[in-house]
Amino acid sequence: MYGFSKFYSKFYKYPLPLLLLSLWLVAVFLLSDRPAHSQHPVISTNKEKDQSTLLAKRIMPSTLTENVRKTVLENGLTILTKEVHTAPVVTVQVWYKVGSRNEEPGVNGIAHQLEHMMFKGTKNRPIQFGRLFSALGSDSNAFTSYDQTAYYGTVERNKLKALLVLEADRMRNSQIEPEQLASEKRVVISELQGYENSPEYRLNRAVMQAVFPNHAYGLPVGGTKADVEKFEVEQVEKYYRNFYSPDNAVLVIVGDFQTANTLETIKEAFGKLPRQGAGGRGQEAGGRRQGAGVISPSLSTQHSTLSTQHSTLSTPIVLREPGAGRLLQAVYPLPDANQPDVPTLDVMDYILTEGRNSRLYQALVESGLASEVTASVTSLRESGWYELLVTAGAKQDLKKIDSMLSSAIANVAEKGVTSEEVERAKAQLTADVILSNRDITSQAMRLGTDETTVGDYRYTDRYLAAVRLVKPTDVVAVINKYLTKEARTVGFFEPTQKRITEVADKPHSAQTTENFSPGAPVLFSEVIKYLPPVDLATDAIAQVLPQEFKLTNGLRILLLPDRSTPTVTLSGYIQAGTEFDPENKAGLAAFVADNLLNGTKSKDVLTIAKVLGERGASLDFQTYREGVHIEGDSLSDDLPILLEILADVVKNSSFPSKELELHRQQTLTDLQQELDEPSEVARRVFVQSIYPKKHPLHTFPTEESLQQIQRRDVIDFKTKHYRPDTTVLALVGDFDLDKVRSLIKNKFGDWEVSGKAPTLKYPPVAMPEKIVSVNPVLPDKAQAVTYMGYTGINRYDPRFHSALVLNQILGGDTLSSRLGAEVRDRQGLSYGIYSSFQAGKNVGTFLIEMQTSPEDSRKAIASTRQMLQQIHQQGVTKLEVETAKRTLISNYNVSLANPEELTDRILMNEVYGLDKVELHSFTDKIQKVTLAQVNQAARELLHPDRIVVVTAGPSVLAEKSIR
């Protein structure tokens, strides 16, 4: 869903962080793993020299901008184009140089509100633009940040002109209608309430306001409910007229197109749009607070003035509010993005907080004081800051953590850092930048961020060159310069409510009686009417298939060479998921996966972390319902190292007792936080309301079950379930087939297997006889989260493809679907509403998820049920089916251009036992779905009167529970 870049993050470790988008994802049956800890051994002079040589090979300034062309039209529009001909797709992004930096108290959030309104239609096209993007098959979204607002879409190349026409239309012709503004203000408030549910957000907001008391960087990017409620049409229109013009915008196009022809199309679409002209906003409006209705001139060159805007407090800000865990946040003011210290600051950040080998992880997490330490360097147009977030360990005192944090930083400043640490940080940072720019959408994001934040799309090239030159003395210098105790502002979050230890609300049956009748179905003839001319014939995708081979021990491998970038993406699957958890030791499967990297027979946890870290390679294990997903990536030269570590940990993991106990404490802390989140509580209660006790899916980890897990349990589970004959590996990237095949045989060939693999048969689960309503109460939460659904289908169901088309029409997209158009767009009841059929090897769930204001939950649920009833009884239209099919096919083709998504597709097709040609025949199967099949699926799969409804949120729900 479109939104604003997040207030804090589990942080992106890149310069000018790629902006986190507010996307609501249903991460069902997921248990994320945690980083572990390390130390800093000394290395020889020769090793340091080798590291410098290794890093030099990785610095490839030309790869990011060598083909970029910058053009400026007469009306001031800046155009950045980069041809990438690896797949027939293209991304179009429009970046406006306006964000929350241009706001002040009273109008905080207006940039974000306008971003939402930009989807509401124009004078020429009075229709929700999300529907037009969906009809094009565009993967489109938008976000607001401090310095910019951006709109982006990625499509098949034959849709490029249509996408440009739509973006040009809404650059100057958008309409701000009173009724639509009122509806969308409710949506924005619902979005903000979702953030208010998070203690991290509330703490960050308090600290940032203290750091920047007189600058807009101290305001929350998305705004406040009080300000949003007061927005008037005239205000939003004026903001739109002042800031949305070609001379305040950057158009970025990356992908499979011809530059000369595309520039002519751009001139035709955008060239006649007028620049802002005299009397409007200054192009570089700044962010100092002056007074009501006044926005100051630019501060980008007034560093001495800006420095006075920072404020520090000698004592911590303390928030005593409902929550589940103690938090500490420290913020240190930094210079703006153009200042020369920024690359060194990022290297410093990696040394302090990146992974198991980091200094602060050792000092805080390994000691048991904290369960997690995250950080980021934020470098913006007018200032920056270094932000540390520490999650306290169980029963740990924040003052003690704060003292240890200060001591650890002071110790680094006093004793310095090693050359090894610096070279490792530089290698990690450089690899992260390269690995984060493999797909065209990310490449365009990088160009747009650099151009709008520092005014130079080549910034990252200069940045990488500067990173290469960083020395240990430079790191110590910036710590002494910026990370002083006097410069920082610290906030403590002290929870006031009793910690929740489990979720055990007993379901009760209830029947809804409301009759909120949905509006008429979306007229897709209107969508086609306003869609720009486009060749709807899909470009042929090259039918390249992965090479497949199998070792004698049963391990299956799929390889697809791709020379487009010097990187490799690895995806894997082991049949060792949570479905195998013993009832009294729920969490065991995740416990095993999360500890695989914590030591083997030949390498301890520090060595493993060091080997990966020196190369900027990543390896991760995520536990899902039916299996453990392996995720890894590296630069192509480092693939042998990545495979060596993977083979070692799956074959020889030793599970040291110290690491297991540390992980147990981290997991217990995580559990407390999860049970304070409405989305997690709703998910648990929803699943346990569908699946009865003794069913493999009913069990969730509890404090008691996690305490029961012993080292012998972990070893036995690993021995029993981690087998080559239930493992699949898929690799896509820059490698030689024969060399990789030989390498895999060498590393994995001796992985022994004995006996038959464990199997599990799911018992059948009956549908509920009527509506089952459950309302677990989480006190003082601002937003409610609702899950609705029941058991669905598996991947082999003959209705699978029809169900995908049905779901796309019902709730596959929160802007263009029936549910999105009614519940979100027309009534403004939800920030995001989605539906999905989660189909695996076994029968999964049909699920609808939505987020609402507590007072809107009842109405949103009733409207959703009415829509299900309407489609169940009346079906959908032929035009809806054809549009949904085009959308699914286009989105699928676009996804194959992303190496991570492509690798996952290849992997899961093999896991499900599908023919490898499924990679390309999937679109043919979607194309063959008929209207009759979709309507039959609607009759058989939608059951509005036999549905489980779980709403987790504040106590107001107890008074207005569904009856």
Side-chain angles (χ1 to χ4, degrees), residues 333-335 339-341 345 413 475-484 487:
L334 298 179
Q339 300 309 302
D341 284 338
L345 286 163
V475 174
V476 174
V478 296
I479 292 176
N480 283 316
K481 185 176 181 180
Y482 298 108
L483 267 58
T484 64

Side-chain angles (χ1 to χ4, degrees), residues 594-865:
D594 293 347
N595 283 279
L596 287 172
L597 290 165
N598 283 349
T600 66
K601 296 174 183 177
S602 61
K603 300 180 184 71
D604 63 16
V605 59
L606 308 176
T607 303
I608 293 172
K610 181 167 171 273
V611 169
L612 291 172
E614 285 174 346
R615 292 156 178 82
S618 69
L619 183 61
D620 193 22
F621 297 86
Q622 299 282 347
T623 311
Y624 293 86
R625 177 184 72 182
E626 291 184 339
V628 173
H629 194 179
I630 306 166
E631 299 171 351
D633 55 30
S634 72
L635 300 180
S636 52
D637 289 345
D638 297 325
L639 178 59
I641 299 296
L642 184 65
L643 288 173
E644 179 184 335
I645 296 295
L646 173 61
D648 193 20
V649 299
V650 297
K651 291 187 299 183
N652 306 314
S653 49
S654 57
F655 304 109
S657 298
K658 178 185 174 184
E659 304 298 334
L660 288 177
E661 287 310 309
L662 180 62
H663 178 73
R664 188 196 313 276
Q665 295 309 311
Q666 293 172 331
T667 304
L668 288 169
T669 301
D670 294 343
L671 177 64
Q672 293 296 335
Q673 292 182 319
E674 288 171 4
L675 296 182
D676 186 53
E677 296 175 5
S679 59
E680 176 62 22
V681 172
R683 179 177 75 91
R684 283 187 171 225
V685 175
F686 173 75
V687 171
Q688 291 185 328
S689 299
I690 292 176
Y691 300 104
K693 288 184 178 180
K694 306 298 182 184
H695 191 282
L697 302 187
H698 182 86
T699 305
F700 281 86
T702 64
E703 183 174 338
E704 182 181 6
S705 72
L706 292 172
Q707 294 285 13
Q708 291 287 330
I709 297 172
Q710 302 301 312
R711 181 170 182 266
R712 174 47 55 189
D713 301 319
V714 174
I715 294 172
D716 290 346
F717 188 98
K718 160 69 167 50
T719 302
K720 182 178 181 181
H721 295 285
Y722 281 65
R723 306 164 51 98
D725 54 346
T726 64
T727 300
V728 183
L729 298 179
L731 288 89
V732 173
D734 183 17
F735 54 76
D736 179 90
L737 271 172
D738 292 335
K739 289 181 180 179
V740 172
R741 189 181 287 115
S742 175
L743 183 63
I744 291 174
K745 287 180 180 178
N746 178 261
K747 297 298 181 184
F748 293 88
D750 62 349
W751 189 4
E752 296 179 354
V753 61
S754 61
K756 292 186 177 180
T759 58
L760 193 66
K761 187 174 182 180
Y762 284 21
V765 176
M767 290 278 296
E769 292 300 318
K770 51 186 176 181
I771 296 172
V772 176
S773 171
V774 195
N775 299 123
V777 173
L778 279 75
D780 300 301
K781 292 299 181 184
Q783 186 192 61
V785 176
T786 297
Y787 276 47
M788 306 172 64
Y790 37 75
T791 54
I793 59 176
N794 63 26
R795 180 60 180 84
Y796 316 106
D797 194 296
R799 299 166 296 183
F800 175 74
H801 296 91
S802 301
L804 291 182
V805 176
L806 170 64
N807 184 72
Q808 181 65 27
I809 296 168
L810 172 65
D813 185 290
T814 202
L815 292 182
S816 64
S817 65
R818 288 269 197 108
L819 286 174
E822 177 60 26
V823 178
R824 187 211 177 281
D825 209 39
R826 189 178 77 84
Q827 298 187 51
L829 299 178
S830 174
Y831 167 56
I833 181 167
Y834 305 88
S835 64
S836 62
F837 285 93
Q838 297 170 339
K841 287 184 176 181
N842 295 284
V843 170
T845 56
F846 167 68
L847 171 68
I848 298 172
E849 183 199 3
M850 69 180 93
Q851 307 87 30
T852 60
S853 297
E855 60 270 20
D856 289 336
S857 299
R858 197 172 170 215
K859 184 175 181 180
I861 292 167
S863 294
T864 299
R865 284 194 53 244

Side-chain angles (χ1 to χ4, degrees), residues 86-331:
T86 54
V89 297
V90 63
T91 188
V92 173
Q93 302 182 2
V94 180
W95 293 67
Y96 294 96
K97 300 175 190 176
V98 58
S100 62
R101 176 177 64 89
N102 305 89
E103 299 173 356
E104 59 183 14
V107 291
N108 182 207
I110 194 168
H112 177 224
Q113 183 68 64
L114 175 58
E115 174 223 309
H116 278 241
M117 298 307 298
M118 288 288 285
F119 285 82
K120 290 295 189 179
T122 65
K123 298 171 186 176
N124 303 322
R125 294 177 175 85
I127 186 173
Q128 164 60 257
F129 263 46
R131 296 175 202 162
L132 297 176
F133 294 137
S134 180
L136 278 177
S138 175
D139 182 7
S140 295
N141 216 312
F143 62 85
T144 303
S145 190
Y146 293 99
D147 291 337
Q148 58 273 110
T149 305
Y151 303 81
Y152 62 96
T154 303
V155 294
E156 297 158 304
R157 64 186 173 197
N158 60 316
K159 317 287 179 59
L160 171 58
K161 183 175 181 179
L163 206 51
L164 289 169
V165 168
L166 291 176
E167 290 296 354
D169 188 18
R170 66 174 174 173
M171 179 175 280
R172 292 306 287 172
N173 299 318
S174 288
Q175 295 193 107
I176 315 295
E177 300 290 348
E179 184 178 344
Q180 291 183 336
L181 178 60
S183 171
E184 203 63 27
K185 281 162 61 175
R186 293 181 72 177
V187 170
V188 168
I189 289 170
S190 172
E191 178 183 356
L192 297 179
Q193 288 172 326
Y195 291 108
E196 288 287 345
N197 279 355
S198 166
E200 290 97 325
Y201 174 83
R202 303 199 300 272
L203 179 61
N204 175 269
R205 185 178 62 186
V207 173
M208 288 299 291
Q209 286 174 342
V211 175
F212 293 99
N214 300 305
H215 194 284
Y217 286 159
L219 300 173
V221 174
T224 63
K225 179 180 179 182
D227 282 0
V228 170
E229 286 177 332
K230 293 184 292 187
F231 290 154
E232 300 290 343
V233 169
E234 294 74 17
Q235 279 181 298
V236 182
E237 282 183 336
K238 182 178 180 181
Y239 203 82
Y240 172 60
R241 290 194 303 269
N242 282 348
F243 291 106
Y244 279 56
S245 61
D247 52 317
N248 198 44
V250 176
L251 172 63
V252 185
I253 305 175
V254 176
D256 192 17
F257 64 94
Q258 298 300 319
T259 300
N261 295 339
T262 300
L263 286 175
E264 290 303 313
T265 302
I266 293 170
K267 291 175 183 177
E268 180 183 337
F270 290 87
K272 296 178 182 178
L273 300 180
R275 62 168 63 236
Q276 175 59 31
R281 51 115 190 106
Q283 182 168 330
E284 305 298 336
R288 270 189 305 171
R289 296 185 199 165
Q290 299 285 314
V294 178
I295 297 179
S296 77
S298 172
L299 294 177
S300 59
T301 59
Q302 301 177 17
H303 304 299
S304 60
T305 302
L306 183 60
S307 66
T308 65
Q309 305 301 313
H310 300 143
S311 177
T312 58
L313 298 175
S314 57
T315 58
I317 298 167
V318 180
L319 294 188
R320 291 186 174 89
E321 298 176 356
R326 293 181 176 87
L327 303 169
L328 179 152
Q329 185 164 64
V331 174

Side-chain angles (χ1 to χ4, degrees), residues 421-441:
E421 287 178 294
V422 173
E423 295 304 322
R424 182 168 59 238
K426 288 156 65 172
Q428 288 175 312
L429 203 161
T430 302
D432 281 348
V433 172
I434 295 170
L435 290 166
S436 70
N437 282 279
R438 285 175 291 178
D439 63 282
I440 62 171
T441 301

